Amino acid sequence: MNCKCDTSKIAKAIGISIVVIILIIAVIIINNSKNPNKSILTAIAVQGDNTTLGTTTIKFSQNDIVIGNAMTHETESDTININENGIYQISYQLFGIQEGSGSFNFNAALLVNNNVVDSTFNDGPVIEDLVNNRNTLTSTVILRLNAGDTLKLSGISIEDITYEKARIDIEKIL
């Protein structure tokens, strides 16, 4: 058998293949290590955590997920402490219920350093009878926060609303 093999072409192809594989591995490593310092906080309020009627800041008795150090929360508190400057995505659910009769309405907003952030004000529907005297408000916002800021979720109402359940999920995204 007579075989004419150009070993220099084969060596070049192998060399190029090795370079391509190294580049692919480098891209995968870089993409997987872009945000190794991820910070997430999920706090939950259950029935009995919030007994104040009407307008109040929401206390959370449970920290469900805590990853990283960008924000901290002490259980039974209404205050989330921001420890790092950055951009934060904040999502919440606030469940309100009224046992009495009359109009039913509550709203929600986020407070930074005890000041309402107007762009986060969440209007709930006004219900004039007892057809539906419970409601859940949800929202997701992105805010720029600074180290030393405090964050709170507020239920706002002139009616006798009890906030039986709530959840807040915060992730530092930048």
Side-chain angles (χ1 to χ4, degrees):
M1 290 186 128
N2 219 354
C3 178
K4 287 188 175 184
C5 296
D6 189 349
T7 55
S8 66
K9 286 184 180 179
I10 294 172
K12 283 182 184 178
I14 291 173
I16 290 171
S17 297
I18 290 172
V19 168
V20 169
I21 291 171
I22 290 171
L23 288 174
I24 290 171
I25 291 171
V27 167
I28 291 171
I29 290 171
I30 289 169
N31 282 337
N32 287 336
S33 65
K34 276 186 178 176
N35 195 358
N37 298 322
K38 191 167 262 310
S39 285
I40 298 172
L41 174 69
T42 297
I44 297 174
V46 296
Q47 189 170 4
D49 285 353
N50 296 286
T51 56
T52 301
L53 299 176
T55 299
T56 188
T57 54
I58 304 303
K59 294 177 185 162
F60 298 95
S61 64
Q62 301 172 18
N63 289 335
D64 189 42
I65 299 171
V66 179
I67 298 172
N69 300 312
M71 58 254 159
T72 53
H73 172 258
E74 295 291 326
T75 56
E76 310 300 331
S77 170
D78 64 354
T79 302
I80 296 164
N81 297 300
I82 304 302
N83 303 322
E84 297 177 8
N85 295 343
I87 306 296
Y88 292 79
Q89 179 172 303
I90 305 158
S91 299
Y92 68 82
Q93 300 85 42
L94 180 59
F95 176 75
I97 187 167
Q98 179 183 28
E99 297 298 332
S101 60
S103 65
F104 172 76
N105 171 254
F106 75 96
N107 308 296
L110 293 172
L111 285 71
V112 174
N113 301 325
N114 292 316
N115 296 307
V116 172
V117 178
D118 291 334
S119 64
T120 69
F121 194 84
N122 189 350
D123 290 313
V126 176
I127 301 170
E128 293 296 334
D129 56 36
L130 286 178
V131 173
N132 182 5
N133 64 345
R134 58 192 73 213
N135 194 21
T136 301
L137 296 180
T138 63
S139 184
T140 299
V141 299
I142 296 175
L143 296 176
R144 180 182 306 275
L145 299 171
N146 297 308
D149 285 348
T150 60
L151 179 71
K152 296 180 182 184
L153 173 61
S154 180
I156 304 165
S157 181
I158 60 171
E159 276 80 45
D160 291 337
I161 307 299
T162 303
Y163 305 100
E164 288 195 353
K165 295 184 274 184
R167 176 185 176 113
I168 191 164
D169 300 284
I170 307 167
E171 179 179 359
K172 182 179 179 203
I173 56 177
L174 284 177

